[in-house]
Short mmCIF file of all heavy atoms in Angstrom, two decimals:
data_model
loop_
_atom_site.label_atom_id
_atom_site.label_comp_id
_atom_site.label_asym_id
_atom_site.label_seq_id
_atom_site.Cartn_x
_atom_site.Cartn_y
_atom_site.Cartn_z
N GLY H 94 67.05 -138.48 -13.56
CA GLY H 94 66.07 -139.16 -14.40
C GLY H 94 66.56 -139.19 -15.83
O GLY H 94 67.32 -138.34 -16.27
N THR H 95 66.11 -140.19 -16.58
CA THR H 95 66.49 -140.29 -17.99
C THR H 95 65.42 -139.63 -18.85
O THR H 95 64.38 -139.19 -18.36
CB THR H 95 66.65 -141.77 -18.40
OG1 THR H 95 65.39 -142.43 -18.23
CG2 THR H 95 67.71 -142.45 -17.57
N ALA H 96 65.67 -139.57 -20.13
CA ALA H 96 64.72 -138.96 -21.06
C ALA H 96 63.42 -139.76 -21.12
O ALA H 96 62.36 -139.22 -21.43
CB ALA H 96 65.34 -138.86 -22.45
N THR H 97 63.48 -141.05 -20.83
CA THR H 97 62.27 -141.90 -20.86
C THR H 97 61.51 -141.86 -19.54
O THR H 97 60.50 -142.53 -19.41
CB THR H 97 62.65 -143.35 -21.18
OG1 THR H 97 63.56 -143.83 -20.20
CG2 THR H 97 63.27 -143.45 -22.57
N GLY H 98 62.02 -141.12 -18.55
CA GLY H 98 61.30 -140.98 -17.29
C GLY H 98 61.72 -141.96 -16.21
O GLY H 98 61.08 -142.02 -15.16
N VAL H 99 62.78 -142.71 -16.41
CA VAL H 99 63.25 -143.66 -15.42
C VAL H 99 64.11 -142.91 -14.40
O VAL H 99 64.99 -142.14 -14.75
CB VAL H 99 64.09 -144.79 -16.08
CG1 VAL H 99 64.65 -145.74 -15.04
CG2 VAL H 99 63.25 -145.53 -17.09
N LYS H 100 63.83 -143.13 -13.10
CA LYS H 100 64.60 -142.48 -12.04
C LYS H 100 65.75 -143.39 -11.63
O LYS H 100 65.54 -144.55 -11.29
CB LYS H 100 63.71 -142.20 -10.84
CG LYS H 100 64.43 -141.48 -9.73
CD LYS H 100 63.52 -141.24 -8.56
CE LYS H 100 64.30 -140.60 -7.43
NZ LYS H 100 63.50 -140.52 -6.22
N ASN H 101 66.96 -142.85 -11.67
CA ASN H 101 68.15 -143.61 -11.28
C ASN H 101 68.72 -143.04 -9.99
O ASN H 101 68.77 -141.82 -9.81
CB ASN H 101 69.23 -143.53 -12.37
CG ASN H 101 68.82 -144.27 -13.61
OD1 ASN H 101 68.23 -145.33 -13.55
ND2 ASN H 101 69.11 -143.68 -14.76
N GLU H 102 69.16 -143.94 -9.11
CA GLU H 102 69.84 -143.57 -7.88
C GLU H 102 71.13 -144.37 -7.84
O GLU H 102 71.10 -145.59 -7.75
CB GLU H 102 68.98 -143.88 -6.67
CG GLU H 102 67.70 -143.07 -6.63
CD GLU H 102 66.81 -143.44 -5.46
OE1 GLU H 102 67.06 -144.48 -4.81
OE2 GLU H 102 65.87 -142.69 -5.20
N VAL H 103 72.27 -143.67 -7.91
CA VAL H 103 73.56 -144.32 -8.02
C VAL H 103 74.42 -143.91 -6.82
O VAL H 103 74.58 -142.72 -6.55
CB VAL H 103 74.27 -143.90 -9.33
CG1 VAL H 103 75.62 -144.57 -9.45
CG2 VAL H 103 73.40 -144.22 -10.52
N VAL H 104 74.98 -144.89 -6.12
CA VAL H 104 75.91 -144.62 -5.02
C VAL H 104 77.30 -144.43 -5.63
O VAL H 104 77.80 -145.30 -6.33
CB VAL H 104 75.91 -145.77 -3.99
CG1 VAL H 104 76.99 -145.54 -2.95
CG2 VAL H 104 74.56 -145.89 -3.35
N ILE H 105 77.90 -143.26 -5.36
CA ILE H 105 79.21 -142.99 -5.95
C ILE H 105 80.33 -142.92 -4.91
O ILE H 105 81.50 -142.91 -5.28
CB ILE H 105 79.17 -141.69 -6.78
CG1 ILE H 105 78.77 -140.50 -5.94
CG2 ILE H 105 78.25 -141.84 -7.96
CD1 ILE H 105 78.85 -139.17 -6.66
N TRP H 106 80.00 -142.89 -3.62
CA TRP H 106 81.00 -142.84 -2.56
C TRP H 106 80.37 -143.36 -1.29
O TRP H 106 79.17 -143.17 -1.05
CB TRP H 106 81.47 -141.40 -2.37
CG TRP H 106 82.43 -141.19 -1.24
CD1 TRP H 106 83.77 -141.34 -1.26
CD2 TRP H 106 82.10 -140.79 0.10
NE1 TRP H 106 84.31 -141.05 -0.03
CE2 TRP H 106 83.29 -140.71 0.82
CE3 TRP H 106 80.91 -140.50 0.75
CZ2 TRP H 106 83.34 -140.35 2.16
CZ3 TRP H 106 80.95 -140.14 2.08
CH2 TRP H 106 82.15 -140.06 2.77
N ASP H 107 81.16 -144.04 -0.45
CA ASP H 107 80.65 -144.49 0.84
C ASP H 107 81.76 -144.54 1.87
O ASP H 107 82.94 -144.49 1.54
CB ASP H 107 79.95 -145.85 0.73
CG ASP H 107 80.89 -146.98 0.34
OD1 ASP H 107 82.09 -146.75 0.17
OD2 ASP H 107 80.41 -148.11 0.21
N ARG H 108 81.34 -144.61 3.13
CA ARG H 108 82.29 -144.71 4.25
C ARG H 108 81.56 -145.28 5.46
O ARG H 108 80.38 -145.00 5.67
CB ARG H 108 82.85 -143.34 4.60
CG ARG H 108 83.77 -143.38 5.82
CD ARG H 108 84.34 -142.05 6.15
NE ARG H 108 85.42 -141.78 5.20
CZ ARG H 108 86.11 -140.67 5.19
NH1 ARG H 108 85.84 -139.70 6.03
NH2 ARG H 108 87.07 -140.49 4.32
N ILE H 109 82.28 -146.06 6.26
CA ILE H 109 81.76 -146.59 7.52
C ILE H 109 82.39 -145.79 8.66
O ILE H 109 83.61 -145.66 8.72
CB ILE H 109 82.05 -148.09 7.67
CG1 ILE H 109 81.32 -148.87 6.59
CG2 ILE H 109 81.66 -148.58 9.05
CD1 ILE H 109 81.64 -150.33 6.55
N VAL H 110 81.55 -145.25 9.54
CA VAL H 110 82.02 -144.49 10.70
C VAL H 110 81.70 -145.33 11.93
O VAL H 110 80.56 -145.66 12.18
CB VAL H 110 81.31 -143.12 10.79
CG1 VAL H 110 81.78 -142.36 12.01
CG2 VAL H 110 81.55 -142.32 9.53
N ARG H 111 82.75 -145.66 12.70
CA ARG H 111 82.58 -146.58 13.83
C ARG H 111 82.61 -145.90 15.19
O ARG H 111 82.38 -146.58 16.18
CB ARG H 111 83.64 -147.65 13.75
CG ARG H 111 83.47 -148.52 12.55
CD ARG H 111 84.23 -149.80 12.65
NE ARG H 111 83.75 -150.72 11.64
CZ ARG H 111 84.49 -151.16 10.64
NH1 ARG H 111 85.74 -150.79 10.54
NH2 ARG H 111 83.98 -151.98 9.76
N SER H 112 82.92 -144.62 15.26
CA SER H 112 82.96 -143.97 16.57
C SER H 112 82.43 -142.54 16.46
O SER H 112 82.41 -141.94 15.39
CB SER H 112 84.39 -143.96 17.12
OG SER H 112 85.20 -143.12 16.33
N LYS H 113 82.04 -142.02 17.61
CA LYS H 113 81.50 -140.67 17.67
C LYS H 113 82.57 -139.63 17.34
O LYS H 113 82.28 -138.59 16.76
CB LYS H 113 80.95 -140.42 19.08
CG LYS H 113 80.17 -139.17 19.23
CD LYS H 113 79.53 -139.10 20.59
CE LYS H 113 78.58 -137.94 20.68
NZ LYS H 113 77.84 -137.93 21.93
#
Side-chain angles (χ1 to χ4, degrees):
T95 62
T97 59
V99 177
K100 182 181 176 188
N101 291 321
E102 296 177 347
V103 180
V104 174
I105 59 174
W106 176 85
D107 65 1
R108 176 179 283 178
I109 295 174
V110 178
R111 294 197 166 115
S112 67
K113 189 173 188 174

